[in-house]
């Protein structure tokens, strides 16, 4: 895969993750674990960021302390703390960096398919799908911040750091 395309995908996708981080950072503790589900939705976004970045998703396991509750159509056993979510965010961001940095033509031309065989995408398409999912939930979280504290993070036009 062309290095310039890797850098472009990195700057935009990592920029989306950075916007999510800013929303999580701005959320006051008083809103984190409430009926608006801010903390849960941040976790949900990161769970699927991790999952969709897993080239061989069969047997996927998120890192501790996170559970597979998202696959079981139920809330997790508890709402994870902001600190836990921020660690998971950095984990996902670095997973994206490694995937792009190590992407070969073979990986670029391969397909990603979930265990139930209900989703099948080219690897680049699942990256774009994943980025859109992050953006979708980041926008929801920003709306919740605007509605509840009359503040939301600024737009990030690209990641500040490069892929390499």
């Amino acid at each position: 895969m062309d290095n310039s395309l890797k850098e472009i995908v990195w700057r935009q996708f990592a920029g989306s993750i950075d916007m999510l981080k800013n929303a999580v950072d701005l959320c006051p503790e008083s809103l984190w674990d409430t009926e608006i589900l801010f903390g849960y939705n941040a976790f949900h976004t990161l769970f699927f960021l991790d999952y969709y970045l897993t080239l061989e998703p069969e047997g996927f396991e998120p890192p501790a302390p996170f559970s597979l509750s998202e696959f079981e159509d139920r809330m997790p056993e508890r709402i994870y703390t902001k600190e836990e979510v921020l660690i998971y965010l950095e984990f996902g961001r670095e997973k994206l960096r490694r995937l792009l940095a190590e992407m070969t033509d073979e990986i670029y031309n391969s397909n990603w398919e979930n265990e139930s065989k209900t989703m099948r995408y080219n690897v680049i398409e699942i990256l774009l799908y994943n980025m859109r999912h992050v953006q979708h939930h980041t926008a929801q979280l920003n709306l919740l911040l605007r509605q509840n504290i009359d503040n939301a993070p600024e737009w990030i036009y690209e990641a500040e750091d490069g892929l390499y």
Side-chain angles (χ1 to χ4, degrees):
M1 180 178 175
D2 180 272
N3 281 342
S4 62
L5 181 56
K6 290 180 185 183
E7 279 288 346
I8 290 167
V9 172
W10 167 256
R11 284 193 315 264
Q12 295 306 310
F13 199 160
S16 296
I17 296 168
D18 294 346
M19 288 184 72
L20 175 60
K21 180 182 186 305
N22 287 348
V24 169
D25 281 340
L26 188 59
C27 181
E29 287 296 329
S30 61
L31 287 179
W32 187 258
D33 185 8
T34 66
E35 69 280 351
I36 68 169
L37 301 177
F38 194 102
Y40 166 72
N41 281 303
F43 159 70
H44 163 88
T45 307
L46 294 167
F47 178 92
F48 282 102
L49 171 69
D50 184 13
Y51 178 67
Y52 296 142
L53 289 174
T54 304
L55 292 180
E56 301 290 333
E58 188 170 331
F60 168 80
E61 288 281 337
F66 306 104
S67 73
L68 291 171
S69 61
E70 292 303 287
F71 289 157
E72 299 162 355
D73 198 26
R74 64 175 176 81
M75 292 292 286
E77 296 74 25
R78 65 182 176 85
I79 299 301
Y80 301 107
T81 67
K82 184 189 285 195
E83 293 74 27
E84 290 169 325
V85 166
L86 287 169
I87 290 167
Y88 201 16
L89 185 143
E90 288 305 318
F91 174 88
R93 195 175 191 278
E94 286 307 307
K95 188 171 183 176
L96 172 65
R97 182 190 304 275
R98 283 190 315 277
L99 175 61
L100 288 171
E102 298 169 4
M103 187 168 294
T104 63
D105 287 340
E106 181 180 345
I107 295 170
Y108 174 81
N109 291 309
S110 67
N111 290 316
W112 180 95
E113 187 170 21
N114 66 351
E115 273 190 84
S116 64
K117 311 290 187 222
T118 56
M119 297 174 71
R120 187 171 202 272
Y121 295 109
N122 169 274
V123 167
I124 292 300
E125 190 170 2
I126 195 65
L127 285 174
L128 295 176
Y129 179 96
N130 197 354
M131 181 173 66
R132 288 181 41 238
H133 183 258
V134 169
Q135 291 171 329
H136 168 76
H137 287 294
T138 299
Q140 289 177 327
L141 296 176
N142 283 335
L143 176 62
L144 291 172
L145 290 170
R146 182 67 65 200
Q147 290 172 333
N148 287 277
I149 65 170
D150 195 26
N151 196 3
E154 296 293 320
W155 171 260
I156 294 175
Y157 73 97
E158 67 181 14
E160 289 184 7
D161 57 335
L163 178 59
Y164 298 103

